[in-house]
Amino acid sequence: MAGKDEANMPPDNRIMPLSDEDLPPSYRLGGIAYFGYRLAVTAKLFDRKFMEVLKAHSTLTLPQWRCLAQLGLAEPGTVRSLAEGAVVDRAEVSRALARLIAQGIVQRHDNEGDQRSPHFSLTPEGRALYDRLRKPVSQFIGSLVSQVDKDDIDAADRVLWTLSKGCID
Protein backbone atom coordinates (compact mmCIF):
# COMPACT_ATOMS: atom_id res chain seq x y z
CA MET A 1 0.00 0.00 0.00
CA ALA A 2 1.40 3.37 -1.00
CA GLY A 3 1.90 6.21 1.43
CA LYS A 4 -0.77 8.90 1.48
CA ASP A 5 1.62 11.60 0.22
CA GLU A 6 2.79 9.64 -2.84
CA ALA A 7 0.17 11.01 -5.24
CA ASN A 8 1.27 14.58 -4.51
CA MET A 9 4.99 13.88 -4.86
CA PRO A 10 6.89 14.34 -8.12
CA PRO A 11 8.38 11.09 -9.49
CA ASP A 12 11.95 12.10 -8.59
CA ASN A 13 10.93 12.20 -4.90
CA ARG A 14 9.88 8.53 -4.93
CA ILE A 15 13.25 7.05 -4.04
CA MET A 16 11.91 3.93 -2.41
CA PRO A 17 8.61 2.07 -2.10
CA LEU A 18 6.32 3.70 0.41
CA SER A 19 4.53 0.55 1.50
CA ASP A 20 5.95 0.61 5.03
CA GLU A 21 3.62 2.66 7.24
CA ASP A 22 6.44 3.14 9.77
CA LEU A 23 8.67 5.13 7.44
CA PRO A 24 9.73 8.41 9.06
CA PRO A 25 9.14 11.63 7.11
CA SER A 26 12.78 11.80 6.03
CA TYR A 27 12.24 8.58 4.08
CA ARG A 28 9.02 9.79 2.46
CA LEU A 29 9.98 13.32 1.53
CA GLY A 30 12.89 15.29 0.20
CA GLY A 31 13.91 13.14 -2.72
CA ILE A 32 17.53 12.73 -3.68
CA ALA A 33 18.46 15.90 -1.79
CA TYR A 34 17.88 13.98 1.45
CA PHE A 35 19.68 10.79 0.43
CA GLY A 36 22.82 11.80 2.35
CA TYR A 37 20.72 12.54 5.42
CA ARG A 38 19.08 9.10 5.20
CA LEU A 39 22.49 7.51 4.77
CA ALA A 40 23.84 9.30 7.87
CA VAL A 41 20.77 8.32 9.93
CA THR A 42 21.11 4.70 8.81
CA ALA A 43 24.80 4.68 9.78
CA LYS A 44 23.95 6.10 13.21
CA LEU A 45 21.20 3.53 13.77
CA PHE A 46 23.55 0.75 12.66
CA ASP A 47 26.26 1.93 15.09
CA ARG A 48 23.77 2.05 17.97
CA LYS A 49 22.54 -1.47 17.31
CA PHE A 50 26.07 -2.72 16.77
CA MET A 51 27.13 -1.24 20.12
CA GLU A 52 24.30 -3.23 21.75
CA VAL A 53 25.75 -6.40 20.24
CA LEU A 54 29.22 -5.50 21.53
CA LYS A 55 27.90 -4.66 24.99
CA ALA A 56 26.05 -7.98 25.20
CA HIS A 57 29.19 -9.98 24.39
CA SER A 58 32.17 -7.89 25.57
CA THR A 59 33.33 -4.71 27.24
CA LEU A 60 34.69 -3.24 24.00
CA THR A 61 33.76 0.17 22.69
CA LEU A 62 33.05 0.67 19.00
CA PRO A 63 36.51 2.21 18.32
CA GLN A 64 38.14 -0.71 20.14
CA TRP A 65 36.12 -3.19 18.07
CA ARG A 66 37.17 -1.46 14.87
CA CYS A 67 40.83 -1.86 15.81
CA LEU A 68 40.31 -5.46 16.93
CA ALA A 69 38.41 -6.35 13.75
CA GLN A 70 41.04 -4.86 11.46
CA LEU A 71 43.85 -6.61 13.31
CA GLY A 72 41.83 -9.81 13.25
CA LEU A 73 41.73 -9.63 9.47
CA ALA A 74 45.21 -8.30 8.72
CA GLU A 75 48.10 -8.04 11.14
CA PRO A 76 50.17 -6.15 11.95
CA GLY A 77 48.70 -2.68 11.80
CA THR A 78 49.92 0.80 12.58
CA VAL A 79 47.96 3.69 14.06
CA ARG A 80 47.88 5.20 10.60
CA SER A 81 46.69 2.04 8.81
CA LEU A 82 44.02 1.38 11.42
CA ALA A 83 42.80 4.99 11.30
CA GLU A 84 42.65 4.91 7.51
CA GLY A 85 40.89 1.53 7.55
CA ALA A 86 38.18 2.76 9.91
CA VAL A 87 38.13 6.30 8.47
CA VAL A 88 38.66 7.87 11.90
CA ASP A 89 41.32 10.16 13.30
CA ARG A 90 44.57 8.74 14.63
CA ALA A 91 43.90 10.04 18.14
CA GLU A 92 40.80 7.84 18.38
CA VAL A 93 42.80 4.82 17.27
CA SER A 94 45.63 5.63 19.70
CA ARG A 95 43.17 5.82 22.61
CA ALA A 96 41.50 2.55 21.59
CA LEU A 97 44.86 0.80 21.20
CA ALA A 98 46.04 2.05 24.59
CA ARG A 99 42.99 0.47 26.25
CA LEU A 100 43.36 -2.75 24.25
CA ILE A 101 47.03 -2.99 25.25
CA ALA A 102 46.12 -2.36 28.92
CA GLN A 103 43.53 -5.15 28.68
CA GLY A 104 46.06 -7.58 27.18
CA ILE A 105 44.17 -7.79 23.88
CA VAL A 106 46.73 -6.05 21.65
CA GLN A 107 50.51 -5.93 21.79
CA ARG A 108 52.86 -3.26 20.50
CA HIS A 109 55.98 -4.06 18.46
CA ASP A 110 58.79 -1.77 17.39
CA ASN A 111 58.86 -0.95 13.70
CA GLU A 112 62.45 -1.20 12.51
CA GLY A 113 61.59 0.76 9.37
CA ASP A 114 60.04 3.70 11.25
CA GLN A 115 60.50 4.03 15.01
CA ARG A 116 57.68 6.60 15.13
CA SER A 117 55.15 4.10 13.79
CA PRO A 118 55.01 0.93 15.91
CA HIS A 119 53.20 -2.18 14.75
CA PHE A 120 50.27 -3.66 16.65
CA SER A 121 48.95 -7.20 16.66
CA LEU A 122 46.51 -9.31 18.64
CA THR A 123 47.67 -11.25 21.67
CA PRO A 124 46.40 -14.83 21.99
CA GLU A 125 43.68 -13.41 24.28
CA GLY A 126 42.86 -10.80 21.64
CA ARG A 127 42.63 -13.45 18.94
CA ALA A 128 40.30 -15.52 21.16
CA LEU A 129 38.11 -12.46 21.79
CA TYR A 130 37.99 -11.64 18.09
CA ASP A 131 37.06 -15.23 17.24
CA ARG A 132 34.38 -15.26 19.96
CA LEU A 133 32.82 -11.96 18.80
CA ARG A 134 32.68 -12.95 15.14
CA LYS A 135 29.64 -15.18 15.71
CA PRO A 136 27.30 -12.59 17.31
CA VAL A 137 28.54 -9.93 14.89
CA SER A 138 27.86 -12.23 11.94
CA GLN A 139 24.43 -13.10 13.33
CA PHE A 140 23.59 -9.41 13.69
CA ILE A 141 24.69 -8.60 10.14
CA GLY A 142 22.96 -11.74 8.88
CA SER A 143 19.69 -10.71 10.53
CA LEU A 144 19.82 -7.39 8.70
CA VAL A 145 20.77 -8.67 5.26
CA SER A 146 18.43 -11.69 5.42
CA GLN A 147 15.61 -9.24 4.78
CA VAL A 148 17.21 -8.01 1.54
CA ASP A 149 17.52 -9.75 -1.81
CA LYS A 150 21.12 -10.66 -2.76
CA ASP A 151 20.94 -8.59 -5.95
CA ASP A 152 19.94 -5.58 -3.85
CA ILE A 153 22.87 -6.19 -1.48
CA ASP A 154 25.20 -6.31 -4.46
CA ALA A 155 23.70 -3.07 -5.78
CA ALA A 156 23.99 -1.46 -2.33
CA ASP A 157 27.66 -2.48 -2.16
CA ARG A 158 28.28 -0.82 -5.53
CA VAL A 159 26.42 2.32 -4.46
CA LEU A 160 28.26 2.53 -1.14
CA TRP A 161 31.62 2.04 -2.85
CA THR A 162 30.81 4.70 -5.45
CA LEU A 163 29.73 7.14 -2.74
CA SER A 164 32.83 6.33 -0.70
CA LYS A 165 35.11 6.97 -3.66
CA GLY A 166 33.33 10.25 -4.34
CA CYS A 167 34.06 11.35 -0.77
CA ILE A 168 37.74 10.44 -1.08
CA ASP A 169 38.43 12.02 -4.47
Side-chain angles (χ1 to χ4, degrees), residues 118-141:
H119 287 147
F120 298 91
S121 63
L122 298 178
T123 63
E125 294 81 6
R127 174 60 60 187
L129 177 60
Y130 171 73
D131 290 342
R132 184 173 57 82
L133 288 175
R134 287 178 61 197
K135 183 175 182 180
V137 166
S138 293
Q139 288 173 336
F140 166 64
I141 302 299

Side-chain angles (χ1 to χ4, degrees), residues 59-127:
T59 60
L60 295 179
T61 64
L62 192 54
Q64 290 168 354
W65 163 255
R66 289 178 176 147
C67 290
L68 181 79
Q70 287 186 80
L71 292 172
L73 292 171
E75 296 180 273
T78 62
V79 168
R80 180 186 199 116
S81 71
L82 296 172
E84 288 174 357
V87 193
V88 296
D89 64 83
R90 287 184 243 173
E92 182 176 331
V93 170
S94 292
R95 288 188 299 271
L97 286 171
R99 291 291 304 138
L100 292 170
I101 290 168
Q103 295 171 9
I105 295 169
V106 168
Q107 55 194 347
R108 181 184 192 275
H109 310 278
D110 289 336
N111 179 350
E112 294 178 17
D114 184 352
Q115 292 300 316
R116 297 169 299 158
S117 183
H119 287 147
F120 298 91
S121 63
L122 298 178
T123 63
E125 294 81 6
R127 174 60 60 187

Side-chain angles (χ1 to χ4, degrees), residues 9-55:
M9 294 171 57
D12 63 332
N13 279 353
R14 290 187 219 140
I15 292 177
M16 57 187 301
L18 298 175
S19 61
D20 188 345
E21 295 299 323
D22 295 327
L23 287 174
S26 62
Y27 279 84
R28 289 193 300 266
L29 304 172
I32 197 68
Y34 278 78
F35 180 77
Y37 175 79
R38 289 189 290 275
L39 188 62
V41 167
T42 301
K44 180 61 85 173
L45 291 170
F46 178 88
D47 279 354
R48 285 183 184 170
K49 204 57 146 164
F50 195 87
M51 286 186 290
E52 289 177 19
V53 172
L54 286 178
K55 187 175 182 180

